[in-house]
């Protein structure tokens, strides 16, 4: 597909995300319905992080992607509360546009500087290597399936990630459970979260973030051992930042307790 057409789609999705952000900030939700917004071409999640949204916790995003032949090519993720806008086009890099801190207020006669700054991802370049998981911050999510095989797999894996190496653990530095798959992936793209392991989410949760991660030099593999080429609707993922190699994938997979089993969306 032509680069000019992907740029046009990118600009449209950015505009749509910003307009949706205004609507979300002004909303006062009392209940949120399950969303089913998945189509063959545009993959849309109007509110990723619905539990956070209901509780007024500002870690939510609008996640918009364009996919062709089941491959995400354009990704836009926007948090309207922080005004952090993540964008990526396949083959053209990933970027974060965010308010400057502090914002610049020029006096009369001085050049007006933009209140926003666009930065290429990852934020640290070159990204530092990740020696092993004991140096890592890892994002995970509980999900809403709290009984059965997948829950047992998650519990066992959470324990293995946290426990001491002397008892066959990874002893990661810390674990984060923040409530938005799209923003978790963008944090991996930024480089301030080293890995993100997920099971049970949907294509619309990850499609936009997928492009952002890969264009920032990271990788997306499957959430089970040996799944090197995951499908966007596979519902189980392991996401690693730039600087984390295949050996980190193998180490992480070795700590997974069992296998995540979800029905694909197709």
């Amino acid at each position: 597909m032509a680069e000019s057409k992907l740029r046009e789609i990118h600009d449209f999705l950015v505009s749509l995300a910003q307009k949706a952000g205004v609507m979300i900030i002004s909303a006062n939700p009392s209940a949120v319905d399950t969303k089913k917004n998945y189509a063959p071409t545009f993959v849309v999640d109007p509110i990723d992080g619905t539990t956070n949204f209901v509780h007024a916790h500002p870690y939510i995003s609008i996640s918009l992607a364009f996919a062709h032949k089941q491959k995400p090519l354009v990704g836009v993720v926007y948090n309207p509360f922080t005004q952090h806008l993540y964008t990526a086009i396949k083959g053209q890099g990933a970027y974060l546009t965010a308010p400057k801190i502090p914002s610049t207020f020029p006096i009369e006669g001085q050049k007006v500087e933009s209140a926003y700054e666009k930065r290429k991802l990852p934020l640290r370049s070159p990204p530092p290597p990740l020696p092993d998981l004991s140096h890592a911050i890892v994002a995970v999510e509980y999900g809403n399936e709290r009984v059965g095989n997948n829950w047992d797999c998650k519990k066992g894996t959470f324990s293995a990630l946290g426990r001491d190496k002397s008892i066959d653990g990874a002893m990661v530095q810390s674990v984060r459970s923040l409530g938005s798959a799209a923003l978790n992936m963008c944090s991996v793209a930024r480089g301030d979260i080293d890995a993100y392991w997920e099971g049970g989410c949907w294509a619309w949760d990850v499609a936009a973030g997928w492009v952002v991660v890969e264009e920032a030099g990271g990788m997306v593999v499957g959430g089970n051992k040996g799944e090197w080429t995951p499908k966007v609707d596979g519902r189980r993922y392991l996401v690693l930042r730039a600087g984390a190699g295949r050996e980190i994938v193998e180490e992480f997979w070795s700590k997974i307790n069992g296998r995540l089993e979800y029905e694909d969306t197709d």
Side-chain angles (χ1 to χ4, degrees):
M1 184 165 289
E3 288 188 6
S4 60
K5 182 60 67 175
L6 291 180
R7 172 60 62 180
E8 182 180 343
I9 292 169
H10 165 277
D11 294 346
F12 167 71
L13 292 180
V14 168
S15 174
L16 185 61
Q18 291 173 332
K19 290 176 182 177
V22 173
M23 296 169 64
I24 287 173
I25 288 176
S26 62
N28 184 22
S30 58
V32 177
D33 294 331
T34 301
K35 46 198 181 306
K36 306 262 184 202
N37 300 325
Y38 178 65
T41 303
F42 288 96
V43 190
V44 177
D45 193 349
I47 303 177
D48 183 51
T50 48
T51 300
N52 287 344
F53 180 55
V54 169
H55 288 268
H57 181 63
Y59 195 80
I60 68 101
S61 66
I62 299 111
S63 177
L64 307 172
F66 173 75
H68 182 57
K69 297 181 179 179
Q70 298 188 359
K71 300 293 184 183
L73 299 177
V74 180
V76 172
V77 178
Y78 180 54
N79 183 336
F81 293 97
T82 63
Q83 298 181 58
H84 284 191
L85 175 68
Y86 300 90
T87 60
I89 300 173
K90 188 71 174 178
Q92 299 184 39
Y95 298 87
L96 166 62
T97 302
K100 288 184 177 179
I101 302 175
S103 296
T104 301
F105 297 94
I107 62 175
E108 185 177 356
Q110 287 187 334
K111 181 180 179 181
V112 177
E113 295 186 24
S114 172
Y116 291 84
E117 182 178 29
K118 185 174 183 178
R119 300 179 64 185
K120 198 172 191 306
L121 299 178
L123 295 179
R124 289 186 290 176
S125 183
L130 183 62
D132 59 36
L133 288 176
S134 69
H135 294 78
I137 292 178
V138 177
V140 299
E141 297 293 344
Y142 281 78
N144 56 15
E145 187 178 329
R146 305 293 176 85
V147 66
N149 172 77
N150 291 327
W151 177 237
D152 291 340
C153 179
K154 286 188 176 184
K155 286 191 302 178
T157 303
F158 296 165
S159 176
L161 290 172
R163 65 176 176 255
D164 194 271
K165 286 190 173 185
S166 66
I167 49 174
D168 197 32
M171 201 172 177
V172 299
Q173 287 191 329
S174 192
V175 172
R176 301 286 185 264
S177 186
L178 301 172
S180 167
L183 288 179
N184 287 347
M185 295 181 85
C186 289
S187 291
V188 174
R190 286 165 55 106
D192 45 70
I193 286 181
D194 300 291
Y196 169 40
W197 183 63
E198 176 64 273
C201 60
W202 303 89
W204 51 79
D205 297 311
V206 301
W210 192 306
V211 190
V212 176
V213 167
E214 290 192 336
E215 287 302 304
M219 73 174 91
V220 182
V221 298
N224 289 327
K225 184 176 182 179
E227 296 177 343
W228 286 105
T229 55
K231 297 191 298 183
V232 69
D233 56 0
R235 304 194 62 202
R236 50 193 183 270
Y237 316 93
L238 173 60
V239 186
L240 295 170
R241 69 164 174 83
R246 292 171 70 93
E247 68 279 3
I248 303 298
V249 176
E250 297 282 6
E251 182 187 2
F252 200 108
W253 278 344
S254 74
K255 303 306 176 187
I256 296 175
N257 183 60
R259 289 182 65 83
L260 295 169
E261 301 291 348
Y262 296 97
E263 291 186 4
D264 294 345
T265 55
D266 56 10

